[in-house]
């Protein structure tokens, strides 16, 4: 089994990997031998720190900076990743935009940005990177959904909807990509202690309400998502495709 988890010789891109779940997954892939391209939209200092953490495992790394809402972002990320590492075997689509507000107050710009980054950019990145996987007859694509696919937050209407759309995208593409040795799955985290959630989880009243919905009784860490990501991105996960898998302490259960 250890050999099936070995990613030596594989190359990965993880979007939104300067912090949080993306960074944890990038580090896990590097720990098991993959070369990893780090991506961020703005915070280059954090991304450089993530890059150094990856390189500490003796693998190659690189950094691409791009706002996924920009029309040419996917093409530029592909070109820069190719130049730094070569053709990518593993594509982890982690980056997203989350805007909290009552549904009645959502603006057109806020709607478009969440849709463009959380769904559109993933489509364009898959279009860019899949041909390389098809040529090698091996590939792993992992999208990052959310427990909000089944328990939508009332102040995250568009965000929740885009995460449900990702799950549908995975089911649609899985049978189309499988003949080329490419798997695609959706990992749906629950309440995870990341920078994005730091402020709201610091509110004790809010934290109690969240914990009441989690059978496991605690908030997860970004590293809790990394083990499943490693399985799905390795040869050990070769027979798993088109699946929607929750890492949420039971929060998404009926």
């Amino acid at each position: 089994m250890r050999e099936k988890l070995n990613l030596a010789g594989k190359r990965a891109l993880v979007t939104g990997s300067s912090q949080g779940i993306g960074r944890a997954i990038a580090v896990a892939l590097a720990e098991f031998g993959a070369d990893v391209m780090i991506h961020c939209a703005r915070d280059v200092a954090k991304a450089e720190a993530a890059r150094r953490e990856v390189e500490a495992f003796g693998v190659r790394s690189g950094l691409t900076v791009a706002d996924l809402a920009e029309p040419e972002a996917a093409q530029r990320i592909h070109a820069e990743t190719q130049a730094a590492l070569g053709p990518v075997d593993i594509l982890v689509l982690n980056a997203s935009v989350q805007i909290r507000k009552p549904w009645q107050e959502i603006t057109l710009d806020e709607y478009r940005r969440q849709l463009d980054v959380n769904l559109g950019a993933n489509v364009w990145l898959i279009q860019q990177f899949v041909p390389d996987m098809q040529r090698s007859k091996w590939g792993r694509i992992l999208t990052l959904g959310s427990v909000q696919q089944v328990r939508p937050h009332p102040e995250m209407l568009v965000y929740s909807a885009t995460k449900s759309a990702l799950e549908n995208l995975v089911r649609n593409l899985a049978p189309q990509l499988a003949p080329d040795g490419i798997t695609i799955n959706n990992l749906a985290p629950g309440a995870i202690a990341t920078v994005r959630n730091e402020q709201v989880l610091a509110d004790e009243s809010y934290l109690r309400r969240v914990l009441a919905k989690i059978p496991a009784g605690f908030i997860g860490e970004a590293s809790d998502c990394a083990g499943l990501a490693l399985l799905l991105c390795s040869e050990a996960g070769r027979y798993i495709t088109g699946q929607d898998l929750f890492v949420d302490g039971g929060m998404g259960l009926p």
Side-chain angles (χ1 to χ4, degrees), residues 126-144:
I126 290 170
Q127 286 182 348
Q128 289 290 321
F129 284 91
V130 159
D132 296 325
M133 298 178 186
Q134 290 173 321
R135 281 187 284 272
S136 66
K137 294 297 180 182
W138 197 97
R140 299 289 183 267
I141 302 171
L142 182 63
T143 61
L144 269 290

Side-chain angles (χ1 to χ4, degrees), residues 70-236:
E70 296 176 359
E72 303 303 320
Q75 187 174 1
R76 187 167 78 253
I77 290 170
H78 180 257
E80 292 179 359
T81 304
Q82 283 267 14
L85 302 182
V88 159
D89 309 285
I90 300 166
L91 178 61
V92 180
L93 300 168
N94 166 75
S96 66
V97 172
Q98 184 187 89
I99 299 175
R100 293 171 178 252
K101 61 169 35 182
W103 64 267
Q104 302 97 324
E105 299 175 12
I106 298 167
T107 68
L108 181 59
D109 284 346
E110 289 167 343
Y111 162 78
R112 284 178 170 166
R113 181 162 183 80
Q114 290 178 95
L115 201 66
D116 286 346
V117 174
N118 301 358
L119 181 60
N122 293 333
V123 174
W124 315 139
L125 285 164
I126 290 170
Q127 286 182 348
Q128 289 290 321
F129 284 91
V130 159
D132 296 325
M133 298 178 186
Q134 290 173 321
R135 281 187 284 272
S136 66
K137 294 297 180 182
W138 197 97
R140 299 289 183 267
I141 302 171
L142 182 63
T143 61
L144 269 290
S146 171
V147 69
Q148 292 194 46
Q149 295 163 206
V150 294
R151 297 196 74 160
H153 192 291
E155 292 190 343
M156 298 186 209
L157 178 73
V158 179
Y159 176 83
S160 301
T162 60
K163 292 304 183 177
S164 291
L166 273 185
E167 186 272 332
N168 187 277
L169 177 150
V170 164
R171 284 191 288 112
N172 191 316
L173 285 178
Q176 299 185 65
L177 298 178
D180 288 313
I182 303 168
T183 69
I184 179 168
N185 293 286
N186 187 61
L187 188 163
I192 305 293
T194 62
V195 172
R196 172 180 283 176
N197 295 324
E198 187 175 23
Q199 184 174 353
V200 293
L201 292 178
D203 181 328
E204 291 188 8
S205 175
Y206 182 85
L207 176 60
R208 284 195 298 271
R209 293 197 301 273
V210 172
L211 289 173
K213 300 175 184 177
I214 305 172
F218 63 92
I219 303 297
E221 301 290 336
S223 58
D224 291 319
C225 298
L228 179 57
L230 176 64
L231 169 68
L232 297 174
C233 291
S234 69
E235 190 63 16

